[in-house]
Amino acid sequence: MKSEDLEQRWQQQSQEAFHTLAQWQKEHPKATLAEIEAAIDAQLDQVRARIIEEMAQAERETTQQGPRSCPQCGTRMHQRGARTRTFQTRGQQEVNVSRDYQSCPACGYSFFPPR
């Protein structure tokens, strides 16, 4: 995905979060500072997780290479197909990242780039 497309998506996601917060504020006119902070954090955590996920996927598309040399023994790594991993960000939001899993036929070392 092009950086212009990503920027547009992030702006849209941010606008949706701000719209949700504005609606929340109307529904909670007497919210405490702690409640306001929690509502804002919840929205920003979601936007942050999507941006992380999209940046990681965009990085994959622009830097995807064939097998690399094993960092432990120097043997050419074998591609083992695409795998998806799920990570948790701050705010307990899930981020899914897909990468081509690679392993070394000589020493068994394997990794899920980027490392």
Side-chain angles (χ1 to χ4, degrees):
M1 186 175 283
K2 295 180 182 178
S3 64
E4 297 86 20
D5 296 335
L6 285 174
E7 185 176 336
Q8 185 177 17
R9 285 178 56 94
W10 299 338
Q11 287 177 353
Q12 179 184 358
Q13 291 168 353
S14 297
Q15 288 174 353
E16 289 170 5
F18 291 131
H19 175 74
T20 300
L21 287 168
Q23 185 63 36
W24 182 90
Q25 185 180 28
K26 288 178 186 175
E27 295 169 2
H28 302 87
K30 295 183 180 184
T32 65
L33 185 58
E35 292 168 333
I36 294 169
E37 182 179 23
I40 291 171
D41 284 345
Q43 288 301 310
L44 294 181
D45 286 344
Q46 290 176 21
V47 171
R48 182 176 178 275
R50 295 298 65 83
I51 290 173
I52 291 168
E53 187 172 83
E54 290 167 0
M55 285 182 78
Q57 288 307 116
E59 184 271 337
R60 175 187 187 221
E61 293 170 10
T62 59
T63 62
Q64 194 66 17
Q65 302 172 9
R68 303 173 184 181
S69 295
C70 177
Q72 294 197 352
C73 72
T75 302
R76 183 180 164 105
M77 303 285 283
H78 286 185
Q79 300 264 20
R80 296 293 181 209
R83 301 280 195 324
T84 300
R85 283 205 169 156
T86 301
F87 300 94
Q88 239 184 20
T89 65
R90 289 185 307 184
Q92 285 66 54
Q93 297 295 310
E94 288 189 352
V95 172
N96 296 305
V97 178
S98 296
R99 291 283 188 272
D100 289 329
Y101 187 77
Q102 298 182 16
S103 66
C104 178
C107 71
Y109 178 82
S110 61
F111 69 100
F112 182 84
R115 219 164 138 67

